[in-house]
Amino acid sequence: MSRVCELTGKRAMVGNNVSHAMNKTKRKFDVNLFKKRFYLPEEDKWITLKVSASAIKNINKRGISAVVKEARAKGFTNQ
């Protein structure tokens, strides 16, 4: 399974490790992902999502229903 947030669509980024001598080697910046269960009262069911830390903050602020509805409209999740 890929390391992509199911609500925001965040993916890993690519960058450089830079040494003191300014030597550059490729590296990967992974997303801060968590596997978490949420309850949707409108559909009366639990869903398990792989979400980033920023998505969890967004859910706490706006509510799971609004965030999932927006993610479905953007095509990030199919649950």
Side-chain angles (χ1 to χ4, degrees):
M1 204 175 224
S2 61
R3 295 194 47 86
V4 178
C5 177
E6 294 181 10
L7 294 181
T8 60
K10 285 188 173 199
R11 301 173 171 270
M13 290 175 37
V14 177
N16 289 313
N17 276 329
V18 182
S19 71
H20 187 67
M22 295 298 283
N23 298 328
K24 293 173 181 69
T25 57
K26 285 292 184 184
R27 64 158 293 183
K28 200 163 140 183
F29 294 92
D30 283 327
V31 185
N32 192 10
L33 290 180
F34 302 94
K35 199 169 189 180
K36 196 133 170 62
R37 281 180 68 208
F38 297 100
Y39 180 72
L40 291 175
E42 289 81 25
E43 300 174 19
D44 192 35
K45 68 177 184 178
W46 289 88
I47 59 170
T48 302
L49 297 172
K50 197 188 287 189
V51 292
S52 62
S54 62
I56 293 173
K57 290 179 183 180
N58 208 0
I59 290 167
N60 288 338
K61 185 176 181 181
R62 296 176 45 212
I64 184 67
S65 302
V67 175
V68 168
K69 185 178 178 182
E70 183 179 316
R72 284 177 180 158
K74 289 183 179 178
F76 291 136
T77 187
N78 55 3
Q79 292 189 5

